[in-house]
């Protein structure tokens, strides 16, 4: 109500509609009272004691009712009105003056006109928000008693006075005013509580929308027919940029996953969706909206590659903590062993058998030290300093370094890049370490350590695979079995005796550190390792869109 919400609070639609309906009721009552006075000889006519005054007052009351209805109609059409309580009080005053005036000239309380004060008082109290409820009831009661007294003294015979009935009607007005005030206050409190709850719900909805919009995971809500009800920015980045509000038009593969899940009748579940040229590999979590999914489906999309990177980062942190805690304890005695072995090797009286044992000590000490260094390099891995490199020149320089360090013929390593001006952005030292690990594996597992073995081939270039610069490291070996392939890039898993199992793991982590990827690709003759480099920064899709 207006009195409860403040003088400047807009009135709700229900209250404005109620004011309009009561205004129509007032017009109807005024018109009926005028007709009763104009045709007193009809069966329903009213024989007023002062018929001329009755018609004048009834006409004035009808004019007031029409004017009040016009104001109420204007308030009904204006949602920002704040003057409804004033209109209600003015209307109540007009009802009181008009009805008591008619009661005065019509013959007193016995005519029944005084009963019409009850709904008029209740309406004035309710529409004004319980303002001046008791005052209105008191004024109406006093006016009623005064009118009855005047009517009895001036217009009626003394024996026909109905003061008792007027007193009872006044008590009725008081009771009606009190009840109306109680209901008006309860209605105001209820409305204020509803408005607070609506504000809380609106704030909560806005908060949820802000949280969902800023989530790293994609969130999509679809209705039972597959139409998208809500989608955040992360989901739009993961799915193809296609128009349409139906999930099938946006991503047919995701829509197919939902249909299969709905047919299975399973509760919330998580599924893997392979990537293609339009969207990356996704992990999709599905949950029903509503008790049985009758409200639709909620999808949470996550980039499978990003999840894998997070898992690798977690594994890397565990390795770093483990290595940091034991590296010092291992390297101190390892250094003492290596130093003692060096001093022992300088002895002129060392027998050949002892020299062989000494070589084993040195080799195993170096191997343990290399293992610690590799794991420490993972825990200290930084982002590197990427620079723009010509791939052909970089591979030629690496081939010279690799063959020179191992005293191999230059023909052992063959590098071919097409087109020759293909460029990449990579940390030079980290790319050198990756190539060194891959070529070392090719020599060990690909049979390239024999004098007449074919060369290791480094073949790459721009646009040959997935429209980016790629590089394949190809050996002449038989390839890797399916069982070995699933753990190929896991740390501490090696296919040869004495291997640490960290070379390929470190290589993949360094590729990801530079925005690239490293995968094992099966070929008809065996297999190869493929590096897919990230697009150059000035050619990235984001910058092109900008």
């Amino acid at each position: 109500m207006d009195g409860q919400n403040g003088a400047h609070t807009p009135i709700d639609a229900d209250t404005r509609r109620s004011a309009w309906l009561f205004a129509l009721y007032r017009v109807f009552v005024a018109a009926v009272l005028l007709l009763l006075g104009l045709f007193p000889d009809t069966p329903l006519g009213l024989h007023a004691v002062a018929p001329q005054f009755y018609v004048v007052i009834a006409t004035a009351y009808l004019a007031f009712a029409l004017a009040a209805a016009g104001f109420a109609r204007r308030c009904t059409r204006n949602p920002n009105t704040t003057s409804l309580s004033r209109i209600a009080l003015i209307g109540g005053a007009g009802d009181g003056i008009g009805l008591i005036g008619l009661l005065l000239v019509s013959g007193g309380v016995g005519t029944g006109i005084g009963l019409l004060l009850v709904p008029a008082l209740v309406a004035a109290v309710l529409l004004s928000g319980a303002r001046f409820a008791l005052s209105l009831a008191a004024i109406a009661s006093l006016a009623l008693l005064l009118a009855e007294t005047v009517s009895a003294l001036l217009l009626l015979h003394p024996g026909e006075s109905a003061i008792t009935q007027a007193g009872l009607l006044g008590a009725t007005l008081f009771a009606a005013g009190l009840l109306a005030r109680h209901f008006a206050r309860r209605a105001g409190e209820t409305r204020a509580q509803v408005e607070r709850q609506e504000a809380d719900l609106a704030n909560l909805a806005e908060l949820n929308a802000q949280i969902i919009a800023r989530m790293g995971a994609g969130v999509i809500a679809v209705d039972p027919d597959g139409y998208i009800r809500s989608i955040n920015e992360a989901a739009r980045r993961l799915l193809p940029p296609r128009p349409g509000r139906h999930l099938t038009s946006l991503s047919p593969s995701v829509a197919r996953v939902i249909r299969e899940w709905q047919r299975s009748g399973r509760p919330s579940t998580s599924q893997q969706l392979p990537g293609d040229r339009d969207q990356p590999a996704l992990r999709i979590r599905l949950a029903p909206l509503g008790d049985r999914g009758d409200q639709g489906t909620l999808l949470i999309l996550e980039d499978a590659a990003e999840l894998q990177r997070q898992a690798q980062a977690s594994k890397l942190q565990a390795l770093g903590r483990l290595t940091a805690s034991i590296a010092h304890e291992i390297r101190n005695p390892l250094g003492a062993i290596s130093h003692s072995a060096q001093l022992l090797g300088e002895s002129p009286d060392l027998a050949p058998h002892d020299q062989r044992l000494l070589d084993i000590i040195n080799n195993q000490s170096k191997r343990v030290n290399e293992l610690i260094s590799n794991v420490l390099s993972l825990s200290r891995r930084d982002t590197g300093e990427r620079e723009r490199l010509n791939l052909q020149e970089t591979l030629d320089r690496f081939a010279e370094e690799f063959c020179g360090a191992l005293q191999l013929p230059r023909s052992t390593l063959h590098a071919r890049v097409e087109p020759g001006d293909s460029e990449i952005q990579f940390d030079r030292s980290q790319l050198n370490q990756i190539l060194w690990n891959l070529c070392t594996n090719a020599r060990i597992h690909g049979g390239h350590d024999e004098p007449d073995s074919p060369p290791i081939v480094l073949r790459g270039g721009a646009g040959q695979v997935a429209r980016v610069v790629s590089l394949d490291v190809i050996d002449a070996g038989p390839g890797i079995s399916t069982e070995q392939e699933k753990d190929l890039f896991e740390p501490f898993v090696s296919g040869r005796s004495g291997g640490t199992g960290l070379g390929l793991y470190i290589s993949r982590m360094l590729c990801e550190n530079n925005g690239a990827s490293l995968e094992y690709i099966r070929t008809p003759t065996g297999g190869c390792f493929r590096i897919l480099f990230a697009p150059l920064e000035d050619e990235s899709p984001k910058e092109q869109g900008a």
Side-chain angles (χ1 to χ4, degrees):
M1 301 300 173
D2 187 52
Q4 295 292 332
N5 296 326
H8 299 289
T9 303
I11 308 302
D12 64 278
D14 291 337
T15 304
R16 288 184 279 112
R17 189 179 303 109
S18 299
W20 166 241
L21 292 176
F22 185 76
L24 294 179
Y25 161 78
R26 180 187 290 118
V27 172
F28 173 77
V29 169
V32 170
L33 291 176
L34 178 60
L35 292 176
L36 293 178
L38 290 175
F39 304 99
D41 296 330
T42 59
L44 297 177
L46 178 64
H47 293 276
V49 295
Q52 297 85 0
F53 290 103
Y54 182 92
V55 172
V56 172
I57 296 175
T59 302
Y61 183 47
L62 178 59
F64 169 78
L66 292 173
F71 282 112
R73 182 59 175 172
R74 188 173 62 180
C75 291
T76 303
R77 293 180 175 180
N78 181 14
N80 296 320
T81 182
T82 59
S83 59
L84 188 59
S85 63
R86 292 191 295 271
I87 295 177
L89 292 174
I90 294 173
D95 289 332
I97 295 173
L99 293 175
I100 291 177
L102 291 174
L103 181 144
L104 178 64
V105 298
S106 63
V109 176
T111 60
I113 294 178
L115 294 175
L116 296 175
L117 290 171
V118 177
L121 175 65
V122 171
V125 173
L126 292 176
L127 294 177
S128 64
R131 298 175 63 184
F132 314 113
L134 295 180
S135 300
L136 292 175
I139 293 172
S141 299
L142 291 175
L144 182 65
L145 290 173
L146 181 61
E148 180 61 27
T149 302
V150 172
S151 177
L153 293 177
L154 300 181
L155 302 176
L156 298 176
H157 297 290
E160 298 178 2
S161 175
I163 298 297
T164 303
Q165 296 180 21
L168 292 175
L169 183 56
T172 302
L173 291 175
F174 261 104
L178 290 174
L179 288 175
R181 184 181 68 166
H182 173 73
F183 288 127
R185 288 181 173 177
R186 290 293 301 271
E189 294 172 357
T190 302
R191 181 187 173 192
Q193 183 178 4
V194 170
E195 289 178 348
R196 287 194 298 269
Q197 292 176 349
E198 289 178 349
D200 292 339
L201 290 175
N203 293 334
L204 182 60
E206 183 178 358
L207 177 61
N208 290 337
Q210 294 291 337
I211 292 174
I212 292 175
R214 286 167 171 76
M215 285 180 61
V219 179
I220 305 177
V222 297
D223 63 14
D225 296 326
Y227 287 94
I228 299 174
R229 295 163 53 184
S230 176
I231 180 171
N232 66 348
E233 187 61 30
R236 293 191 180 277
R237 290 195 300 267
L238 292 174
L239 297 180
R242 297 170 179 162
R245 295 296 300 172
H246 200 279
L247 189 60
T248 302
S249 61
L250 191 62
S251 177
S253 56
V254 175
R256 184 171 58 255
V257 169
I258 294 181
R259 289 194 298 269
E260 294 175 354
W261 170 69
Q262 290 174 339
R263 284 196 295 267
S264 67
R266 291 177 295 177
S268 302
T269 185
S270 177
Q271 298 187 20
Q272 295 288 337
L273 182 64
D276 52 32
R277 64 180 183 179
D278 294 325
Q279 66 186 33
L282 300 174
R283 188 179 76 172
I284 305 177
R285 285 181 285 173
L286 302 102
L289 293 175
D291 295 336
R292 298 182 179 179
D294 53 348
Q295 300 297 322
T297 306
L298 177 66
L299 295 87
I300 299 179
L301 310 179
E302 295 175 290
D303 190 340
E306 179 62 25
L307 294 177
Q308 185 178 6
R309 284 193 292 270
Q310 293 176 1
Q312 294 288 359
S314 177
K315 189 180 298 184
L316 180 62
Q317 291 177 357
L319 289 174
R321 288 193 296 267
L322 173 64
T323 306
S325 64
I326 66 175
H328 179 72
E329 300 298 330
I330 293 178
R331 274 184 161 170
N332 281 343
L334 184 63
I337 294 173
S338 299
H339 185 65
S340 299
Q342 291 176 2
L343 295 177
L344 186 61
E346 297 175 358
S347 174
D349 300 328
L350 194 65
H353 177 72
D354 295 333
Q355 182 63 48
R356 187 175 65 85
L357 297 177
L358 186 61
D359 291 339
I360 294 176
I361 294 175
N362 285 326
N363 291 334
Q364 295 303 314
S365 296
K366 291 180 179 178
R367 179 175 177 271
V368 174
N369 186 66
E370 180 183 359
L371 173 63
I372 296 175
S373 298
N374 285 338
V375 178
L376 282 176
S377 68
L378 287 177
S379 63
R380 293 193 302 263
R381 180 170 60 94
D382 54 17
T383 57
E385 297 182 2
R386 299 185 194 180
E387 55 182 308
R388 196 159 182 154
L389 305 173
N390 181 279
L391 184 58
Q392 182 67 66
E393 295 176 358
T394 302
L395 295 182
D396 290 339
R397 187 181 300 109
F398 166 76
E400 294 290 343
E401 179 183 347
F402 184 80
C403 295
L406 300 179
Q407 298 182 353
L408 299 174
R410 178 60 180 83
S411 58
T412 303
L413 199 60
H414 180 66
R416 184 174 72 252
V417 176
E418 294 180 359
D421 59 352
S422 300
E423 292 184 334
I424 60 172
Q425 281 184 323
F426 218 95
D427 182 279
R428 188 186 296 272
S429 63
Q430 292 181 2
L431 179 59
N432 194 71
Q433 183 178 355
I434 295 169
L435 294 175
W436 195 285
N437 289 340
L438 296 179
C439 291
T440 300
N441 280 346
R443 287 191 65 242
I444 295 173
H445 299 286
H448 294 280
D449 52 354
E450 299 295 332
D452 298 331
S453 61
I456 301 172
V457 177
L458 305 178
R459 184 182 65 194
Q464 298 184 16
V465 179
R467 297 183 180 180
V468 297
V469 179
S470 62
L471 176 63
D472 292 345
V473 181
I474 306 171
D475 59 45
I480 298 173
S481 65
T482 305
E483 294 182 356
Q484 291 176 323
E485 185 178 351
K486 63 181 181 180
D487 295 327
L488 187 60
F489 295 97
E490 291 297 318
F492 305 113
V493 178
S494 177
R496 66 183 177 91
S497 177
T500 63
L502 286 173
L504 291 177
Y505 178 70
I506 293 174
S507 298
R508 171 175 272 188
M509 296 297 291
L510 292 178
C511 282
E512 293 177 355
N513 195 39
N514 287 269
S517 63
L518 174 62
E519 301 292 340
Y520 178 75
I521 306 299
R522 290 190 171 274
T523 63
T525 58
C528 70
F529 288 95
R530 173 174 293 168
I531 302 174
L532 293 178
F533 296 97
L536 298 179
E537 290 185 358
D538 57 352
E539 297 179 0
S540 63
K542 289 183 179 180
E543 295 190 1
Q544 287 181 352

